[in-house]
Amino acid sequence: MKTLLGFIRKEFLQTLRDPRMRMLLFVAPCVQLTIFGVALSTEAKNIRLSVFGAPNDTSLQEIYRKALASGWFIPAKTSSLDPFDQINKGEADAVLVAPMGGLDKSLGRSEGKVQLLVNATNVTRAQSIERYFLNIVQSLYPQSAPFRFDVRVLYNPALRTALFLVPGVMSLLVCLITILLTSMSITKEKELGTFETLISAPVKPEEVIFGKTVPFVLLGMSNIPLIVGVAVALFGMPLRGSLFILLLSSFVFVCCTVGIGLFISTVAKNQQQSMMGGFLYLFPSVLLSGLVFPIENMPWVLRIFSYINPLTYFIELLRNIMLKGGDARLILFNILILTAMAVLVITASWRRFKVVLG
């Protein structure tokens, strides 16, 4: 234990001694969060639509069928009978709710009114849903008809783009910092000529792995309160869920990304290769995470890669915890997936490192 603590202390001192490294760790995330949170934008497709009303309500079912025929919407697979619960659990992106007594009777009283519940954790997607439905309703019912279309936007009533983008950018920054720093850890030892000393030292491979992992996990976690603070103070991000759950999710994700960075460092021969390896992983990881392009828009082949991408699950966790308050089943599922990924990648890194030690 004394050897391990000394090794961890050495890694901390070596990392934080460089002023440029301190800038990368603590200043760059705030600057990047500000820039990316304002600049990024997205689109929408394959919107999961559910209908809440009687099956014999002809007018409501006609709107539903017209929506599905438009090509913008797909039927939502739901297990709950509560329309709000369907959106909270992530089963539907939008729910069409009939008025009391049904839409047919409401139209007969010249009071045609239907409500659309929209999940606005993705602002651009929510705006597209509203626009699509207005076009559908107008095509079925002329403006002279007694029809009112009431859109109720959930989780982001003001449709602020920042509330959708900031959780994704937060995930990206944590991923960027941990992978790039960790991927350069062993290659830096190789270039400085200290790797041979490390091999010949009375240190077990397990101690080296923990010594190379623990400091970067702690450094990655140290950025979480900083980034969350900037998001809340600067962009007005709500934190409706548990802070403990957010930190737990972040810890599992950081362990996973540190493991990925460590694996890259065992493959690369120098810092340039490790830097390139990190960026080669990060670029497709970002594109396939749902941060820039909705996963629902992607071909099914690319969705497979999205579902083995840790960033996909952490973005979903942050948006659910911060904007929705946190659905227990969804949070548990995503944390378990990230935990499995972390165990897998750290195990692969450990085996690869034993090969490097030869």
Side-chain angles (χ1 to χ4, degrees):
M1 195 64 188
K2 185 177 180 181
T3 303
L4 177 60
L5 291 175
F7 196 84
I8 292 173
R9 182 173 178 273
K10 188 271 293 184
E11 285 294 323
F12 268 117
L13 293 176
Q14 184 174 312
T15 302
L16 298 177
R17 186 183 296 118
D18 188 352
R20 290 173 297 180
M21 192 65 72
R22 293 198 296 269
M23 289 284 291
L24 177 63
L25 279 169
F26 303 113
V27 178
C30 301
V31 177
Q32 290 174 330
L33 179 63
T34 304
I35 295 174
F36 290 139
V38 174
L40 297 178
S41 61
T42 58
E43 292 185 1
K45 203 176 181 182
N46 292 329
I47 303 158
R48 295 168 299 168
L49 176 64
S50 174
V51 62
F52 187 75
N56 60 352
D57 193 338
T58 308
S59 301
L60 183 69
Q61 295 299 328
E62 185 180 14
I63 296 175
Y64 180 63
R65 287 192 296 269
K66 181 74 172 179
L68 297 181
S70 69
W72 295 323
F73 298 88
I74 59 174
K77 298 178 181 179
T78 59
S79 59
S80 174
L81 298 178
D82 185 346
F84 292 93
D85 203 34
Q86 290 175 5
I87 291 183
N88 188 46
K89 289 182 177 179
E91 297 177 342
D93 300 311
V95 181
L96 195 62
V97 182
M100 187 70 67
L103 184 57
D104 287 336
K105 292 183 179 180
S106 181
L107 286 172
R109 297 192 302 266
S110 298
E111 299 174 355
K113 180 180 179 181
V114 66
Q115 186 177 60
L116 181 68
L117 305 180
V118 180
N119 180 1
T121 53
N122 185 327
V123 173
T124 308
R125 195 172 182 81
Q127 292 172 335
S128 298
I129 292 170
E130 181 178 359
R131 185 171 62 252
Y132 294 161
F133 253 101
L134 286 174
N135 292 336
I136 290 168
V137 171
Q138 288 174 3
S139 68
L140 288 173
Y141 300 93
Q143 292 184 355
S144 58
F147 192 93
R148 289 180 57 198
F149 188 58
D150 181 22
V151 179
R152 183 170 180 182
V153 179
L154 304 179
Y155 311 121
N156 187 4
L159 291 176
R160 293 178 54 211
T161 305
L163 298 192
F164 158 65
L165 292 175
V166 169
V169 176
M170 290 167 61
S171 307
L172 173 59
L173 293 178
V174 174
C175 189
L176 184 68
I177 291 169
T178 51
I179 287 181
L180 290 184
L181 286 180
T182 313
S183 66
M184 297 174 64
S185 61
I186 292 179
T187 51
K188 188 174 182 180
E189 299 271 8
K190 293 177 182 178
E191 289 192 351
L192 293 175
T194 56
F195 188 68
E196 289 76 11
T197 306
L198 186 63
I199 295 175
S200 59
V203 181
K204 298 178 181 179
E206 294 82 2
E207 292 177 327
V208 176
I209 286 289
F210 278 107
K212 289 291 184 183
T213 303
V214 173
F216 295 108
V217 169
L218 296 178
L219 288 172
M221 286 302 297
S222 70
N223 273 275
I224 300 299
L226 182 64
I227 292 174
V228 171
V230 171
V232 172
L234 189 59
F235 291 99
M237 276 293 298
L239 183 54
R240 299 188 175 110
S242 167
L243 180 60
F244 172 76
I245 297 297
L246 189 148
L247 292 175
L248 176 62
S249 305
S250 301
F251 174 75
V252 177
F253 176 69
V254 167
C255 288
C256 190
T257 54
V258 166
I260 293 171
L262 192 62
F263 182 81
I264 293 172
S265 71
T266 61
V267 175
K269 295 181 179 179
N270 52 55
Q271 290 191 71
Q272 186 177 11
Q273 288 184 6
S274 64
M275 182 73 74
M276 287 300 298
F279 277 112
L280 285 174
Y281 169 81
L282 284 168
F283 186 68
S285 176
V286 171
L287 291 180
L288 298 175
S289 66
L291 171 61
V292 181
F293 306 104
I295 295 174
E296 293 82 3
N297 287 12
M298 300 176 188
W300 68 269
V301 176
L302 292 180
R303 289 188 204 179
I304 295 174
F305 292 98
S306 296
Y307 296 138
I308 59 173
N309 180 11
L311 195 57
T312 301
Y313 299 96
F314 189 55
I315 290 175
E316 180 69 21
L317 278 168
L318 282 185
R319 286 175 179 164
N320 192 274
I321 293 169
M322 299 188 79
L323 295 178
K324 291 185 177 182
D327 176 68
R329 188 176 64 176
L330 189 146
I331 289 174
L332 181 61
F333 172 77
N334 284 280
I335 288 180
L336 288 176
I337 292 291
L338 283 176
T339 302
M341 289 182 174
V343 171
L344 181 65
V345 74
I346 290 175
T347 302
S349 301
W350 178 71
R351 290 183 176 179
R352 175 65 192 175
F353 189 72
K354 289 182 70 176
V355 171
V356 173
L357 290 178

